[in-house]
């Protein structure tokens, strides 16, 4: 069964290995160049990238300029779910090859579990490795780097999102039974969930802190560059009447104080752990995946 699974998915494994090696290599190379150049770089808040001007440094500058590794870490889970997770079961149903496996003394549960273990575990491990390299890169950049800006590109979010995308792919593949529609459904569902969590849920994991000050410049990154500042500052006059989100929005009325909500930098890893747990729960508690593992249907359809 192991050999058959390898033969079926060796092409996807090769592409996954190439993509992961390329992505991880880019992150590691930039981190190395930053480390080499760090002795000659001033530590300025808001300026976390300092690279040498030699040919090796220029290569790293090109990688940083095009954000290849940053974008790659965002799309890695989606690609894994759509192009590897979705066809994992859908292709078998399309070709009817699952029946051949079941007539060879292989139960449906074992058939599926072998596929999941041999395919999902290495991909999640690869996501964890690349996400960890991004953490190393940020550590090399120094404490002036705002990790909130690259929240989705670090471990444990990258492997958790990869697991969730693969679970979605397997579920849609079993539900639809055709590879291409399952791939499309996986991409759409994954994007909706990830964007929904980022835009609507993430900032509420822990109640944000409200900062009120009469110093109109003491909010936002000027006040704490390591914090995640939510929305725009809100200005009020001396009577407490709302003036707007920008100074000068109410003609003839001077703002007296400003209010803005934020999440402090020391909550970053707590937020990472919470979101990773949410994504893993969505993957492991997916009803369709549970039905698959429970062998609840005859042809892995719901």
């Amino acid at each position: 069964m192991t050999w058959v699974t390898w033969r079926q998915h060796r092409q996807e494994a090769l592409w996954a290995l190439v993509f992961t090696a390329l992505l991880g290599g880019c992150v590691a190379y930039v981190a190395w160049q930053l480390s080499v150049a760090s002795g000659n770089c001033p530590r300025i808040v808001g300026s976390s990238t300092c690279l040498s001007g030699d040919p090796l440094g220029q290569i790293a500058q090109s990688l940083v300029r095009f954000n290849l590794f940053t974008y790659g870490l965002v799309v890695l889970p989606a690609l894994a779910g759509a192009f590897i997770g979705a066809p994992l079961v859908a292709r078998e149903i399309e070709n009817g090859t699952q029946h051949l496996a079941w007539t060879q003394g292989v139960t449906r549960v074992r058939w599926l579990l072998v596929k999941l273990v041999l395919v999902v575990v290495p991909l999640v491990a690869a996501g964890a490795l690349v996400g960890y390299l991004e953490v190393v890169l940020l550590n090399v950049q120094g404490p002036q780097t705002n990790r909130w800006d690259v929240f989705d590109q670090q471990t444990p979010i990258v492997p958790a999102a990869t697991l969730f995308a693969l679970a979605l792919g397997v579920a849609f593949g079993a539900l639809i039974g055709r590879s291409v529609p399952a791939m499309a459904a996986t991409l759409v569902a994954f994007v909706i969930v990830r964007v929904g969590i980022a835009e609507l849920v993430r900032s509420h994991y822990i109640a944000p802190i409200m900062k009120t000050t009469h110093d109109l410049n003491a909010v936002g990154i000027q006040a704490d560059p390591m914090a995640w500042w939510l929305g725009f500052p809100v200005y009020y006059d001396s009577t407490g009447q709302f003036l707007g989100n920008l100074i000068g929005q109410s003609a003839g009325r001077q703002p007296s104080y400003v209010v803005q909500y934020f999440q402090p930098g020391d909550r970053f890893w707590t937020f990472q752990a919470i979101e990773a747990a949410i994504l893993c729960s969505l993957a492991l508690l997916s009803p369709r995946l549970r039905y698959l593992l429970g062998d609840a249907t005859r042809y892995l359809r719901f």
Side-chain angles (χ1 to χ4, degrees):
M1 185 65 192
T2 302
W3 181 83
V4 172
T5 302
W6 162 249
R7 291 283 296 177
Q8 287 179 320
H9 302 287
R10 64 186 185 278
Q11 187 174 3
E12 294 96 323
L14 177 61
W15 280 110
L17 178 62
V18 170
F19 185 78
T20 303
L22 179 63
L23 193 56
C26 289
V27 177
Y29 181 79
V30 173
W32 172 58
Q33 281 297 303
L34 285 171
S35 178
V36 169
S38 61
N40 300 321
C41 293
R43 289 301 180 185
I44 302 174
V45 173
S47 177
S48 57
T49 302
C50 180
L51 296 162
S52 64
D54 60 22
L56 294 178
Q58 290 176 1
I59 294 174
Q61 290 176 25
S62 298
L63 293 174
V64 172
R65 186 179 306 115
F66 292 106
N67 283 328
L68 295 178
F69 50 87
T70 301
Y71 295 140
L73 286 167
V74 173
V75 303
L76 174 64
L79 293 178
F83 292 97
I84 298 179
L88 194 65
V89 173
R91 184 186 301 162
E92 300 276 4
I93 297 176
E94 279 183 307
N95 300 330
T97 52
Q98 83 277 20
H99 298 293
L100 177 62
W102 298 339
T103 59
Q104 304 300 314
V106 178
T107 66
R108 300 179 188 183
V109 173
R110 182 190 171 193
W111 170 80
L112 181 61
L113 286 177
V114 169
K115 283 181 171 291
L116 291 179
V117 170
L118 295 180
V119 176
V120 172
V121 172
L123 286 172
V124 173
L129 174 61
V130 178
Y132 174 74
L133 290 174
E134 178 73 10
V135 174
V136 173
L137 172 62
L138 295 174
N139 289 339
V140 172
Q141 288 179 322
Q144 74 280 6
T145 302
N146 191 326
R147 292 181 179 272
W148 295 101
D149 294 338
V150 284
F151 188 90
D152 295 312
Q153 291 95 316
Q154 301 172 64
T155 294
I157 293 298
V158 175
T162 302
L163 177 64
F164 171 60
L166 289 168
L168 273 181
V170 172
F172 278 118
L175 173 66
I176 299 173
R178 291 184 295 164
S179 297
V180 175
M183 292 165 64
T186 300
L187 281 175
V188 171
F190 180 81
V191 170
I192 290 174
V193 172
R194 295 295 288 125
V195 172
I197 289 177
E199 296 296 327
L200 303 176
V201 180
R202 182 179 297 165
S203 62
H204 302 289
Y205 293 156
I206 301 176
I209 298 173
M210 182 179 72
K211 179 168 185 177
T212 303
T213 177
H214 291 281
D215 184 352
L216 303 183
N217 295 318
V219 292
I221 60 174
Q222 299 93 335
D224 187 353
M226 299 299 101
W228 175 21
W229 293 92
L230 306 174
F232 295 98
V234 178
Y235 296 91
Y236 296 87
D237 63 14
S238 57
T239 65
Q241 188 168 356
F242 171 72
L243 298 180
N245 298 112
L246 298 173
I247 296 179
Q249 196 164 347
S250 296
R253 302 161 73 182
Q254 293 298 322
S256 175
Y257 64 95
V258 60
V259 175
Q260 189 171 11
Y261 291 88
F262 72 99
Q263 296 288 357
D266 58 9
R267 292 181 178 180
F268 177 81
W269 292 112
T270 301
F271 274 59
Q272 284 269 313
I274 292 173
E275 187 155 323
I278 291 173
L279 292 172
C280 289
S281 298
L282 290 174
L284 298 177
L285 300 179
S286 170
R288 295 185 179 89
L289 189 57
R290 291 178 64 185
Y291 287 142
L292 284 171
L293 295 175
D295 193 23
T297 62
R298 182 178 180 184
Y299 295 108
L300 294 178
R301 292 176 181 270
F302 313 114

